[in-house]
Amino acid sequence: MFEHKNLDGIWNRVVSASNAFLSGDILETRDMVGTEPEKIARMQFAVIGQYLVERCLPPEALSETWAQDAGKLPWWDSVKNPPHMGIIADFNSHNGGLHRIPFDANHNVVGFASDGEEIVLGKGVYTVIRKSDGKELSAASKSELRELYFS
């Protein structure tokens, strides 16, 4: 389990991962703005393979998912330039993430979908192969791709 001097259980905490494709637990952080952390949006960080990934969740007082997502958790976005210092960098290293992801123009992974499927960007098009049925889906934006994925 990841341990760090800045983990206080409120502003920075580790939460259990429920997805097998994640390499360990999830680091959840909040911007230290205001005095009511339960009313501040949360950033979550995890490692998938060697990629540090992130997603933003609404404040706990609202929900686990954003209203426009109809109860579906946000996808993970690849962090192209992971930090080299601080709690996020330490978490990334602890879980086997790289500090620099080499660019591969032929396989540019920009995120991961709900079941850990790679989202690839090529020639201005986002593509994912849905694990549940093996169908390849493509769209001009991640939001359009997400809509196709859940349809």
Side-chain angles (χ1 to χ4, degrees):
M1 176 144 181
F2 176 69
E3 292 184 23
H4 195 277
K5 65 180 180 175
N6 292 339
L7 287 175
D8 60 8
I10 299 169
W11 297 99
N12 298 301
R13 65 183 178 181
V14 174
V15 294
S16 296
S18 58
N19 302 102
F21 58 84
L22 298 176
S23 304
D25 290 323
I26 298 169
L27 173 65
E28 187 173 275
T29 66
R30 292 178 177 80
D31 285 334
M32 294 179 121
V33 197
T35 58
E36 300 176 86
E38 67 279 356
K39 294 184 179 179
I40 298 172
R42 302 165 284 158
M43 285 300 297
Q44 289 190 333
F45 297 90
V47 175
I48 299 175
Q50 294 181 316
Y51 289 91
L52 176 67
V53 293
E54 65 184 0
R55 66 182 177 189
C56 183
L57 297 179
E60 286 177 295
L62 295 180
S63 174
E64 283 298 304
T65 60
W66 295 102
Q68 73 273 11
D69 277 340
K72 308 232 182 337
L73 282 170
W75 286 350
W76 295 99
D77 291 320
S78 295
V79 178
K80 290 299 178 195
N81 293 305
H84 291 276
M85 295 173 53
I87 190 171
I88 298 168
D90 294 345
F91 176 81
N92 184 34
S93 294
H94 174 80
N95 288 296
L98 296 175
H99 284 291
R100 185 177 270 323
I101 304 296
F103 177 69
D104 181 351
N106 296 316
H107 192 74
N108 183 19
V109 177
V110 295
F112 295 85
S114 296
D115 287 332
E117 305 99 321
E118 292 180 339
I119 301 168
V120 177
L121 175 61
K123 296 181 182 175
V125 176
Y126 294 92
T127 304
V128 66
I129 298 174
R130 190 168 45 201
K131 194 178 281 186
S132 63
D133 60 5
K135 187 173 182 178
E136 182 175 306
L137 307 168
S138 296
S141 71
K142 278 200 224 176
S143 58
E144 290 176 42
L145 185 62
R146 191 170 161 81
E147 195 173 308
L148 285 172
Y149 183 93
F150 288 115
S151 64

